[in-house]
């Protein structure tokens, strides 16, 4: 599974610090998010991962440092602004309405319509066709009826639906906060395949995960946070799988890094 | 049932599909109105047997239960949409009474044209709904409390004003012919409210199944956070539905005033819970997010059949309440079961 690696950066963080009253959640972090690559954010609870992606998705404006998109330094006005620039964030626990159909879920809030005036109506045929086509491209072949309730889909399929929706609406950067944490092996596999499909389509993916084998499976770059600082940053193949697993389990490698940090 | 089985089963090739017959039955059984259909048919058959020979199935008997259902259905239909969006409206009873008084006092005690007092009554209903909706969505208080408060305010205010202006709670009114035609005409014993009920049902069906507002209503009740994140104007959806329930209640007030040639502020309290009963018997989930217009139509019909059927059996009509209570309990349990079934796969 080769990836289209480009050196051009989509998002660039330079010396970014995020302070809350009394806490420095992210300290002097520099990172590059590249199209067609999966960047895995690793680190213990409280390390600053969620804060970092909230900076990327426009929820916070960093206290210090710069964020550049396509090489231009920008200040994101909020999540909506980030979304308009193609940065889509999928928070934990996929955003779907279980008792609503696949087609209606896919287009919720952005429904295609036909007809005018009082006869203006939801274009169910178009919505259904596009929704099925898009989830199919992410490897979901089991769902063949767009009128089927989303609640009948498995957890992994629902995550894939949310990812497909983000891609359909023009996401260039896909930020996933622990998309596999609540899923079994088979379900996680569906999500990882969706991540790979997105990457193969040239999308930049930022993935937070606690599962070492998930990170190893799809990651092109790895960034390890501890106490808000970037303590390690390496590309696929630059570190032994065993080391990465040890790192994520908080073993000797991690202790080493954290000690250097302190 | 479980996710693993669901994922394991379809080792089927892409294009294979279930035999049409089976899938049609399976799909029907999973529709939200399926339980309501069974319920309506069951109570009808029950009274067909227990009230046989009494005229329950005659034209007049049929008109009788349809009239009862129609009056409730005019308000139960918007109440169901509001329930699907996750909110309650306890003020509809007071609005029925207040609007009935507006028309009767405005055009009976005083000399307002009936074609002015009726729009005034509907406008009053819309205003109450607007206030209910704005207060509920702005304060984030449960609509249960907000509309209980507005029910007391509207009910108490209407009662006081009615006594002050007309010296009574009940005022007679002779409907003008054109008003009579629109709100009070009859074909045999079939009242025009049946037409209003069906028209409102068609509009609600259109909105719920054919428009994007329909998606917004389901999502607002089914997963409010998801809806908000997706850019659905959930507050606007709710305010609009609160206005619809109040307008429905106002229309009931008008229909009753014209049909009975007089208004009464104290009328209407029965609608508060009957609307919810019809919706729930019709398959609407109390938790919000699920239900259908066809189901509500059937639930409302069931209510009419029971209320009138009891009368034809010759039993004490108090038993209608007992009957509806039992049906309600069964319906709530069945709805939860049907929801699980709907989520259990194709
Ligand atoms: N809004 C906030 N206000 C104050 N402190 C915060 C806020 N958000 C996060 N923090 C703190 O910042 C640190 C990093 O948190 P977080 O980014 O959620 O870590 P992670 O996602 O890696 O578990 C924690 O100590 C947390 O308590
Ligand atoms: Mg976190």
């Amino acid at each position: 599974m080769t990836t289209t690696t480009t050196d051009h950066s989509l998002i660039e963080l330079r010396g970014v610090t995020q302070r809350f009253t009394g806490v420095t959640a992210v300290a002097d972090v520099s990172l590059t998010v590249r199209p067609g690559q999966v960047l895995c954010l690793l680190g213990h609870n409280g390390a600053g991962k969620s804060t970092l992606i909230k900076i990327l998705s426009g929820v916070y404006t960093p206290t210090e440092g710069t964020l550049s998109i396509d090489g231009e330094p920008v200040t994101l006005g909020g999540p909506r602004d980030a979304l308009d620039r193609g940065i889509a964030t999928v928070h934990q626990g996929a955003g779907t309405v279980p008792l609503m159909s696949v087609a209606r879920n896919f287009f919720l809030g952005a429904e295609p319509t036909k007809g005018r005036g009082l006869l203006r109506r939801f274009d169910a045929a178009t919505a259904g066709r596009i929704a099925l086509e898009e989830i199919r491209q992410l490897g979901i072949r089991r769902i063949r009826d767009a009128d089927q309730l989303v609640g009948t889909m498995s957890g992994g399929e629902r995550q894939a639906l949310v990812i497909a929706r983000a891609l359909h609406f023009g996401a260039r950067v896909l930020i996933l906060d622990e998309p596999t944490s609540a899923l079994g092996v088979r379900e996680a596999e569906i999500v990882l395949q969706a991540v790979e499909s997105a990457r193969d389509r040239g999308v930049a993916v930022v993935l937070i995960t606690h599962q070492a084998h998930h990170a190893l499976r799809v990651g092109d770059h790895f960034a390890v946070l501890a106490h808000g600082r970037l303590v390690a940053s390496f590309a696929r193949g630059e570190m032994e799988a065993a080391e990465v697993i040890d790192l994520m389990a908080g073993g000797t490698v991690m202790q080493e890094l954290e000690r250097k940090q302190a | 049932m479980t996710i693993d089985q669901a994922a394991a089963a379809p080792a089927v090739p892409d294009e294979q599909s279930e035999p049409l017959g089976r899938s049609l039955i399976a799909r029907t059984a999973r529709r939200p109105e399926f339980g309501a259909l069974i319920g309506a048919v069951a109570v009808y058959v029950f009274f067909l047997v227990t009230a046989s020979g009494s005229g329950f199935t005659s034209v007049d008997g049929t008109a009788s239960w349809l009239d009862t259902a129609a009056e409730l259905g005019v308000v139960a239909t918007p109440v169901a949409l509001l329930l699907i969006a996750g909110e309650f409206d306890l003020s509809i009873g007071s609005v029925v009474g207040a609007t009935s008084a507006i028309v009767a006092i405005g055009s009976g005690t005083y000399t307002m044209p009936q074609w002015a007092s009726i729009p005034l009554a509907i406008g009053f209903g819309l205003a109450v709904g607007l206030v209910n909706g704005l207060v509920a969505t702005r304060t984030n208080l449960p609509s249960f409390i907000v509309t209980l408060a507005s029910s007391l305010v509207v009910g108490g205010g209407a009662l006081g004003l009615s006594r002050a202006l007309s010296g009574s709670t009940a005022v007679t009114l002779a409907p003008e012919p054109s008003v009579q035609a629109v709100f009070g005409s009859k074909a045999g014993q079939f009242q025009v409210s049946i037409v209003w009920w069906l028209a409102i049902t068609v509009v609600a069906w259109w909105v719920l199944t054919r428009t994007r507002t329909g998606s917004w209503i389901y999502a607002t009740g089914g997963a409010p956070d998801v809806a908000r994140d997706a850019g659905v104007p959930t507050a606007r959806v709710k305010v609009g539905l609160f206005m619809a329930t109040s307008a429905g209640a106002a229309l009931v007030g008008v229909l009753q005033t014209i049909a009975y040639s007089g208004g009464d502020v104290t009328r209407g309290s029965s609608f508060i819970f009957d609307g919810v009963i019809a919706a729930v018997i019709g398959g609407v989930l109390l938790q919000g997010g699920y239900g259908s217009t066809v189901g509500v139509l059937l639930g409302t019909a069931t209510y009419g059949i029971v209320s009138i059927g009891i009368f034809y059996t010759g039993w004490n009509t108090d038993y209608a309440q007992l009957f509806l209570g039992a049906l309600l309990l069964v319906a709530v349990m069945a709805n939860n079961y049907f929801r699980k079934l709907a989520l259990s796969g194709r």
Side-chain angles (χ1 to χ4, degrees), chain A residues 18-26 42-54 60 177-178 208 210 225 227-228:
Chain A
Q18 180 72 46
R19 268 190 286 271
F20 299 109
T21 32
V23 197
T24 302
V26 170
L42 315 175
H44 289 152
N45 273 336
K49 305 181 298 294
S50 291
T51 304
L52 193 62
I53 64 160
K54 281 178 185 161
Y60 300 139
D177 195 353
E178 304 201 24
I208 296 185
H210 272 116
L225 290 176
H227 307 303

Side-chain angles (χ1 to χ4, degrees), chain B residues 57-154:
Chain B
T57 55
S58 69
V59 172
D60 279 359
T62 304
S64 186
W65 68 257
L66 278 174
D67 289 343
T68 302
E71 225 167 59
L72 176 61
V74 166
V75 67
T77 309
V79 161
L81 298 201
L82 184 65
L83 269 178
I84 293 174
E87 301 288 347
F88 273 99
D89 187 353
L90 298 182
S91 71
I92 51 173
S94 291
V95 172
V96 169
T99 50
S100 149
I102 288 173
V103 176
I105 295 173
S107 302
T109 312
Y110 295 89
T111 56
M112 214 175 180
Q114 288 171 18
W115 279 116
S117 63
I118 290 171
L120 183 70
I122 304 289
F124 175 80
L126 288 169
V128 172
L130 180 65
V131 172
N132 280 340
L134 289 178
V135 173
T137 54
R138 295 273 162 89
T139 61
N140 265 325
L141 288 170
S143 51
F144 200 83
I145 295 301
V146 171
T147 58
L148 179 61
S150 69
S151 171
L152 295 174
V153 170
V154 171

